[in-house]
C-alpha cells in the first residue's frame, strides 16, 4: 500500500539541479536508506518528503492519515527551555498532548541525559542532536497506527556513541512504521534497511535490498549500463561506416539510417561518479613519536581518566571509544597540546607534525572563498605524483574551478567537511588525529579516506562511533572504562566480542554463585569428555591450500575482465568470456564460503585445545 508518492519532482538551487523529474513511491513496511555523494540533495529530498520544502515542479501525494516525523541534520532551537519540556512540546505541537512523560524521560535517559531540567541553551551541538532525536522518536513512540507513520531521519547516528547506536538499531529494526533515513553508518544501513534509494546525477535508483545487497546490485547496474554503452558505440561505428561508404539504397532506408545514428549519438552514456582523489603527503617521521606518561584529567570535580601511559608506535592505527562525555575529545586535545593534563605529560618527537581533524570545522570563515581557505595552509604541496597546487588538490576533492571561488557558506554540510579534511591534509602531517571523522562525510568519501589511511605513512589516532570505519582502519582499541583507559587488540568487532570487555563478563551475582574450587575441578573433568573437534584429512589438506586457490581464482577473474575489455567488438568471443567469468566468479564465491567455514572450524579447534590445555594445568 502506497503511503506517499513523489511524481516527476524537479528541484534545484541556482544553476545546480539536484533532481530532474524523479518519482518515488513509499510503501507500508519500507525501511529506506538514501545514498549519494555530498551535494547531490539527500537532505533536500528528506525535506521534500517531510513537507518542509516544495519542489520546483512535480507533486507529493500523501495517503489519508499518513503522518511524518522529521529529524533535521542540524536541529534549530529558538528558545531556552528544559530538555524535557522541549521534547514534550513536540507532541503538543501536533495536538496530541502526552499525558504520561515516562516515555520521554526514558528516551532522554537512554540517549545519555541524566539532568532533564538542563536548559537547551547550554547544550553542545551533539547534545542538541540527541535531544532532537528524542523529540522526533517520541512522535512515533505511542503509535497505535505505526504502519501509517513515516519516520524521516537525517544522520541520526551522528554524535551517538556505539552503545546508543546499537540501541537505536534495535529500536528502528523492530519499529512497525516506515523509515526513511540518511546515514553514513554502513553496519546501521545493513541492519535496519530493506531498500536503498541512490541519488546519482539527478536521477533516483531504487534497490530492493539492504546496504550489502545494494553494493552488489549497483555494480550489476553499472556493468550492464557500460555494456550497453559499448554495444551502442559499436553499432554507431558500423552505421557511420555504412554512410561513409556511400552504400546505395532507397532514400527511405538512407533516412532511417541517419535517424538511427542521431538517436545513438543523442543517447547519454553512463556517467560514473567522480571520487575524491587523496594522495599521501605525510612528512618524514623520526624515531621518537608520542610518549604519554601518567596522564590524568578532571572537569568540574569529575575525574575523566587517570594514570594513562602509552608510547605510540610508528605506523600505528589506534581507535578510541567510550560513552559520550567520558573524555575522548579531551584526550585528543591533550595529545595535540591544546589542553594541559592535570597530572602527567605528553612528549612529542621533534619531527612530529600533527594534523588534527576536529568535530567542528575550525576557522571556517563563511565569507572566505573556497580556494583561499586552502591557500592559507599551502599553495603547493608534494605528493607521490609530483607537485600539486591548491587548485589542483581542490579538483581532486571534487571542487571544480567554478566552485573554488564561491564563499564557503554556500557549501553543503558534507562539502564543508570534505573541504576541512583537505585543509588538514595540505599541512602534510605525519600524525593524523581524527575526532569523529565519519560525521557528515558521504560513503564514497569515507571509502576513499579508508583507502588513503591504508597507505598513509604515519600514525593514525581516531575517535569514532562508526563500527565499520574502526574495523576497517585500526588495529588497536583504547576503551574508556570508568576512569581507566583499557587496551584491546584488533578492531571494533574484536573489542566487542572480547571476554575482557566488562559487558561480556558475568554479573557479580553470577560470579558469586560460581562453584568452589573442588566443584570447578569436577566441572572441568566433565568438560574434558566433550566431543573433540578436529579436521578430517581432506579438510586439513583443503584448509592448507584454499587461500592459494582463492588468489588464483581472483587472478583468473581479473584476467578475464581485462580480456573482455580488449575484445568488446567480438560478440562471440565476448559471450564466451562472460560465461567463463561467471563460472569463475561462482567458483570463487563457493571457495570463499568454504574458507569461512574452515576458518571458523579452525578457530573453534584452537579454542577447544586451549581450554582443554588450561583444564589439565588446573589439575
Amino acid at each position: 500500500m502506497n503511503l506517499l508518492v513523489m511524481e516527476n519532482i524537479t528541484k534545484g538551487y541556482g544553476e545546480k539541479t539536484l533532481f530532474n523529474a524523479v518519482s518515488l513511491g513509499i510503501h507500508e513496511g519500507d525501511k529506506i536508506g538514501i545514498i549519494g555523494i555530498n551535494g547531490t540533495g539527500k537532505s533536500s529530498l528528506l525535506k521534500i518528503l517531510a513537507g518542509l520544502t516544495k519542489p520546483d515542479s512535480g507533486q507529493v501525494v500523501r495517503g489519508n492519515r499518513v503522518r511524518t516525523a522529521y529529524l533535521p541534520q542540524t536541529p534549530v532551537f529558538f528558545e531556552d527551555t528544559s530538555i524535557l519540556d522541549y521534547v514534550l512540546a513536540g507532541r503538543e505541537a501536533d495536538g496530541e498532548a502526552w499525558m504520561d512523560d515516562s516515555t520521554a524521560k526514558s528516551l532522554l535517559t537512554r540517549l545519555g541525559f541524566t539532568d532533564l531540567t538542563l536548559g537547551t541553551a547550554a547544550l553542545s551541538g551533539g547534545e542538541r542532536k540527541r535531544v532532537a532525536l528524542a523529540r522526533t522518536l517520541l512522535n512515533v513512540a505511542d503509535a497505535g497506527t505505526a504502519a501509517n507513520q513515516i519516520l524521516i531521519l537525517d544522520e541520526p547516528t551522528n554524535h551517538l556513541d556505539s552503545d546508543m547506536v546499537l540501541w537505536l538499531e534495535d529500536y528502528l529494526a523492530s519499529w512497525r512504521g516506515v523509515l526513511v533515513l540518511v546515514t553514513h553508518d554502513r553496519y546501521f544501513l545493513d541492519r535496519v534497511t530493506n531498500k536503498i534509494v541512490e541519488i546519482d546525477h539527478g536521477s533516483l535508483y531504487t534497490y530492493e535490498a539492504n546496504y550489502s545487497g545494494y553494493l552488489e546490485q549497483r555494480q550489476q547496474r553499472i556493468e550492464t549500463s557500460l555494456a550497453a554503452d559499448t554495444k551502442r558505440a559499436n553499432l554507431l561505428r558500423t552505421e557511420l561506416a555504412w554512410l561513409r561508404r556511400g552504400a546505395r539504397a532507397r532514400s527511405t532506408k538512407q533516412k532511417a539510417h541517419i535517424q538511427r545514428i542521431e538517436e545513438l549519438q543523442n543517447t547519454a552514456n553512463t556517467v560514473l561518479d567522480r571520487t575524491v582523489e587523496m594522495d599521501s603527503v605525510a612528512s618524514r617521521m623520526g624515531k621518537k613519536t608520542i610518549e604519554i606518561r601518567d596522564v590524568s584529567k578532571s572537569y568540574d570535580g569529575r575525574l575523566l581518566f587517570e594514570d594513562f601511559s602509552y608510547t605510540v608506535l610508528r605506523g600505528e592505527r589506534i581507535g578510541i571509544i567510550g560513552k559520550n562525555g567520558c573524555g575522548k575529545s579531551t584526550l585528543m586535545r591533550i595529545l595535540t597540546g591544546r589542553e594541559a593534563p592535570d597530572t602527567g605529560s605528553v612528549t612529542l618527537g621533534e619531527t612530529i607534525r600533527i594534523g588534527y581533524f576536529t568535530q567542528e570545522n575550525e576557522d571556517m570563515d563563511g565569507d572566505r572563498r573556497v580556494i583561499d581557505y586552502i591557500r592559507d595552509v599551502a599553495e603547493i604541496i608534494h605528493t607521490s605524483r609530483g607537485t600539486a597546487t591548491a587548485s589542483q588538490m581542490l579538483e581532486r576533492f571534487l571542487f571544480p574551478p567554478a566552485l573554488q571561488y564561491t564563499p564557503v557558506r554556500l557549501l553543503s554540510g558534507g562539502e564543508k567537511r570534505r573541504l576541512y579534511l583537505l585543509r588538514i591534509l595540505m599541512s602534510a602531517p605525519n600524525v593524523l588525529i581524527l575526532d569523529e571523522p565519519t560525521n557528515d562525510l558521504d560513503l564514497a568519501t569515507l571509502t576513499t579516506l579508508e583507502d588513503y589511511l591504508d597507505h598513509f605513512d604515519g600514525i593514525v589516532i581516531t575517535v569514532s562511533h562508526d563500527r565499520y570505519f574502526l574495523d576497517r582502519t585500526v588495529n588497536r582499541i583504547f576503551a574508556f572504562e570508568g576512569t581507566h583507559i583499557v587496551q584491546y587488540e584488533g578492531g571494533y568487532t574484536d573489542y566487542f566480542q572480547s571476554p575482557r570487555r566488562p559487558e561480556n563478563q558475568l554479573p557479580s551475582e553470577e560470579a558469586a554463585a560460581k562453584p568452589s574450587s573442588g566443584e570447578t575441578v569436577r566441572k572441568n573433568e566433565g568438560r574434558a569428555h566433550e566431543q573433540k573437534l578436529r579436521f578430517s584429512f581432506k579438510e586439513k589438506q583443503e584448509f592448507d591450500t584454499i587461500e592459494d586457490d582463492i588468489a588464483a581464482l581472483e587472478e583468473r577473474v581479473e584476467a578475464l575482465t581485462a580480456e573482455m575489455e580488449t575484445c568488446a567488438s567480438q560478440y562471440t568471443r565476448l559471450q564466451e568470456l562472460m560465461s567463463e567469468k561467471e563460472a569463475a566468479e561462482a567458483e570463487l564465491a563457493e571457495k570463499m564460503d568454504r574458507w569461512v567455514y574452515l576458518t571458523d572450524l579452525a578457530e573453534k579447534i584452537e579454542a577447544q585445545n586451549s581450554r582443554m590445555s588450561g583444564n589439565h594445568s588446573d589439575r
Side-chain angles (χ1 to χ4, degrees):
M1 170 179 153
N2 269 343
L3 300 185
L4 183 149
V5 177
M6 292 195 326
E7 296 178 339
N8 297 316
I9 295 295
T10 297
K11 182 66 179 177
Y13 291 98
E15 297 181 357
K16 183 176 182 180
T17 299
L18 297 176
F19 325 117
N20 184 23
V22 300
S23 299
L24 175 67
I26 297 179
H27 308 86
E28 190 174 318
D30 278 349
K31 301 284 181 72
I32 302 172
I34 308 294
I35 287 178
I37 64 173
N38 289 142
T40 54
K42 298 188 295 294
S43 294
S44 296
L45 180 63
L46 294 190
K47 290 176 183 177
I48 291 173
L49 293 176
L52 301 176
T53 297
K54 291 184 178 180
D56 298 335
S57 63
Q59 62 177 345
V60 178
V61 180
R62 289 178 176 79
N64 293 331
R65 296 191 298 179
V66 171
R67 178 178 171 185
T68 60
Y70 170 68
L71 173 72
Q73 187 171 346
T74 306
V76 177
F77 292 71
F78 294 105
E79 61 182 49
D80 186 23
T81 182
S82 75
I83 59 177
L84 179 59
D85 288 341
Y86 171 80
V87 170
L88 291 172
R91 295 288 295 191
E92 295 168 354
D94 289 328
E96 297 184 22
W98 186 249
M99 302 305 293
D100 180 4
D101 62 2
S102 61
T103 304
K105 290 179 179 178
S106 175
L107 283 170
L108 285 167
T109 301
R110 193 63 192 83
L111 289 168
F113 295 98
T114 53
D115 182 3
L116 305 188
T117 65
L118 187 66
T120 55
L123 300 177
S124 67
E127 289 170 331
R128 289 188 169 208
K129 183 65 175 278
R130 283 184 277 138
V131 169
L133 176 60
R135 175 171 167 145
T136 305
L137 293 180
L138 187 64
N139 274 304
V140 295
D142 189 44
T145 57
N148 291 329
Q149 299 204 28
I150 303 176
L151 183 58
I152 303 172
L153 306 177
D154 197 346
E155 296 288 3
T157 63
N158 280 4
H159 308 292
L160 298 187
D161 60 40
S162 299
D163 289 342
M164 291 183 193
V165 171
L166 287 171
W167 170 81
L168 185 60
E169 269 185 9
D170 290 336
Y171 184 95
L172 296 178
S174 61
W175 189 59
R176 294 190 299 114
V178 171
L179 173 67
V180 184
L181 82 159
V182 170
T183 181
H184 60 266
D185 190 320
R186 287 152 285 188
Y187 283 160
F188 194 90
L189 281 170
D190 228 22
R191 171 111 188 269
V192 171
T193 64
N194 57 25
K195 182 182 291 186
I196 297 293
V197 173
E198 179 186 20
I199 305 176
D200 186 10
H201 296 93
S203 298
L204 299 186
Y205 297 90
T206 300
Y207 304 84
E208 300 288 341
N210 63 0
Y211 182 71
S212 295
Y214 149 77
L215 290 177
E216 296 177 5
Q217 292 182 25
R218 181 179 187 273
Q219 185 61 31
Q220 292 171 1
R221 174 177 74 82
I222 291 174
E223 289 177 356
T224 301
S225 185
L226 290 175
D229 290 346
T230 300
K231 184 177 180 180
R232 186 166 57 251
N234 291 335
L235 182 57
L236 177 60
R237 186 165 53 249
T238 302
E239 293 285 348
L240 287 171
W242 187 90
L243 282 181
R244 280 196 296 268
R245 285 198 303 268
R248 295 179 180 178
R250 290 180 300 174
S251 60
T252 53
K253 285 189 176 181
Q254 184 82 342
K255 183 178 180 180
H257 273 284
I258 293 173
Q259 287 177 338
R260 188 156 60 242
I261 288 172
E262 289 176 345
E263 290 173 0
L264 290 169
Q265 289 176 328
N266 292 332
T267 302
N269 280 339
T270 303
V271 180
L272 299 179
D273 282 330
R274 286 188 58 203
T275 56
V276 177
E277 298 177 37
M278 297 187 189
D279 202 356
S280 181
V281 291
S283 303
R284 185 188 66 84
M285 182 185 297
K287 291 183 179 180
K288 187 174 181 180
T289 57
I290 304 174
E291 294 182 359
I292 309 165
R293 291 289 174 264
D294 302 320
V295 166
S296 301
K297 187 67 180 179
S298 298
Y299 268 120
D300 298 327
R302 183 171 74 92
L303 181 62
L304 295 178
F305 50 87
E306 59 182 338
D307 302 327
F308 177 52
S309 297
Y310 189 72
T311 299
V312 182
L313 305 177
R314 293 180 62 178
E316 193 159 23
R317 303 292 193 262
I318 296 174
I320 311 289
I321 63 174
K323 296 182 181 298
N324 288 330
C326 67
K328 302 185 297 296
S329 294
T330 300
L331 177 61
M332 298 298 99
R333 290 194 294 271
I334 290 174
L335 294 181
T336 57
R338 299 190 177 196
E339 196 163 329
D342 296 339
T343 63
S345 63
V346 175
T347 305
L348 304 182
E350 293 181 359
T351 61
I352 292 298
R353 294 185 63 176
I354 292 178
Y356 183 26
F357 187 73
T358 65
Q359 289 194 46
E360 295 77 29
N361 303 330
E362 293 184 333
D363 304 322
M364 189 169 274
D365 182 354
D367 293 326
R368 197 150 181 75
R369 296 184 306 178
V370 167
I371 193 166
D372 293 330
Y373 178 74
I374 297 302
R375 282 174 173 166
D376 287 345
V377 178
E379 173 60 47
I380 295 177
I381 63 168
H382 298 279
T383 74
S384 62
R385 289 183 282 178
T387 59
T389 65
S391 178
Q392 288 170 332
M393 290 300 293
L394 279 167
E395 286 199 63
R396 294 181 188 181
F397 271 63
L398 307 187
F399 293 100
L403 195 57
Q404 294 177 15
Y405 290 88
T406 60
V408 169
R409 58 182 164 78
L410 296 181
L411 302 179
S412 69
E415 288 171 328
K416 289 178 182 177
R417 197 72 173 147
R418 193 194 316 141
L419 181 66
Y420 179 52
L421 176 60
L422 173 58
R423 181 182 169 102
I424 298 300
L425 298 180
M426 288 290 286
S427 65
N430 50 30
V431 176
L432 280 174
I433 295 184
L434 311 174
D435 196 350
E436 295 293 2
T438 65
N439 284 356
D440 300 321
L441 289 182
D442 58 62
L443 293 175
T445 303
L446 273 180
T447 301
T448 306
L449 174 60
E450 289 160 355
D451 182 65
Y452 172 86
L453 295 178
D454 284 344
H455 301 91
F456 177 67
D457 188 19
I459 293 168
V460 178
I461 303 174
T462 180
V463 170
S464 182
H465 65 269
D466 190 317
R467 297 156 294 170
Y468 185 97
F469 181 79
L470 290 172
D471 275 343
R472 178 71 175 76
T473 59
V474 309
N475 52 28
R476 182 161 292 162
I477 294 285
F478 282 101
F480 279 69
E481 296 177 1
T483 60
H484 295 285
I485 301 174
V486 181
Q487 177 180 330
Y488 293 84
E489 297 305 308
Y492 179 83
T493 300
D494 298 306
Y495 152 78
F496 189 76
Q497 296 174 347
S498 171
R500 293 174 49 231
R501 180 171 172 260
E503 290 81 355
N504 293 339
Q505 296 176 5
L506 291 172
S508 56
E509 301 83 21
E510 293 183 37
K514 289 178 70 175
S516 64
S517 58
E519 292 173 314
T520 302
V521 170
R522 287 194 293 273
K523 183 179 288 187
N524 285 339
E525 288 174 348
R527 189 181 293 163
H529 293 294
E530 64 182 295
Q531 183 178 0
K532 185 174 177 59
L533 297 172
R534 58 167 57 90
F535 278 129
S536 68
F537 178 75
K538 287 186 177 180
E539 285 176 334
K540 183 64 171 65
Q541 282 187 317
E542 185 181 7
F543 184 61
D544 290 340
T545 60
I546 194 167
E547 291 189 4
D548 292 336
D549 295 341
I550 289 172
L553 283 168
E554 289 174 335
E555 291 177 0
R556 175 64 176 155
V557 170
E558 289 180 6
L560 288 168
T561 301
E563 189 176 352
M564 287 168 63
E565 293 175 355
T566 63
C567 62
S569 61
Q570 303 172 27
Y571 181 76
T572 302
R573 179 56 180 157
L574 186 60
Q575 289 295 105
E576 293 174 354
L577 290 172
M578 289 178 66
S579 297
E580 290 180 36
K581 182 184 174 184
E582 288 176 2
E585 287 176 337
E587 187 178 355
L588 177 60
E590 185 178 339
K591 284 285 186 183
M592 291 297 294
D593 288 341
R594 187 64 176 165
W595 177 85
V596 170
Y597 165 75
L598 292 172
T599 302
D600 184 52
L601 178 57
E603 290 174 353
K604 289 178 179 177
I605 291 171
E606 183 179 359
Q608 184 185 65
N609 291 342
S610 176
R611 185 169 63 249
M612 289 184 171
S613 175
N615 293 342
H616 287 301
S617 63
D618 288 341
R619 297 185 187 184

